[in-house]
Amino acid sequence: MKNLNLILAEIKKSIILFSILYTFTTITSSAWQLYTGQLTDTNVHLLNRAAVIFIAVATIHLFFKVQVKNQVLRYLLPYAISMGLVLGYTWLFGRFQPLHPDAYRDIFLNFTVIAAIVIAVMIIVEKVKQKRKEND
């Protein structure tokens, strides 16, 4: 029963994180599109965004769950797995609908920049915790 409660708590956290990230990226994207004169966004694009954010949430969980002594591998492994998933998703989607010529470049850069920011924040938090531990 305890394991079930832990799993349900993780699922709840994931759903909340997914909802926050999806809402933030959709509002940001919508504002940018309106600013540039694009008045509509397709349902397909919204669903693709949801799929990529789902992969991002899984990646964030991997960052926390993968415990390798080598700090580079601790962050590189989840990033590599998720990058493979997001590029695979892009390729799969491209089998059904034409992709923008820069689709792979765009998804790679967008995902990498966000991953780098998350990794940097996690490293900073880890260093601050370590420093506090040393001072106590």
Side-chain angles (χ1 to χ4, degrees), residues 15 25 32 40 51 61 65 74 80 86-87 89 94 99 106-107:
I15 290 170
T25 57
W32 180 255
T40 60
H61 277 286
K65 299 297 179 188
R74 183 180 312 152
V86 81
L87 290 174
Y89 176 80
L99 295 174
D106 291 347
I107 195 70

Side-chain angles (χ1 to χ4, degrees), residues 124-136:
I124 290 168
V125 167
E126 195 173 293
K127 298 257 186 219
V128 168
K129 283 182 179 179
Q130 196 173 31
K131 196 153 210 142
R132 283 184 182 166
K133 200 175 197 179
E134 290 172 2
N135 290 340
D136 289 339

Side-chain angles (χ1 to χ4, degrees), residues 82-109:
S82 61
M83 185 54 65
L85 286 172
V86 81
L87 290 174
Y89 176 80
T90 304
W91 175 84
L92 184 64
F93 181 76
R95 302 299 112 215
F96 301 103
Q97 194 147 8
L99 295 174
H100 185 275
D102 298 329
Y104 290 102
R105 182 203 66 186
D106 291 347
I107 195 70
F108 174 79
L109 291 176

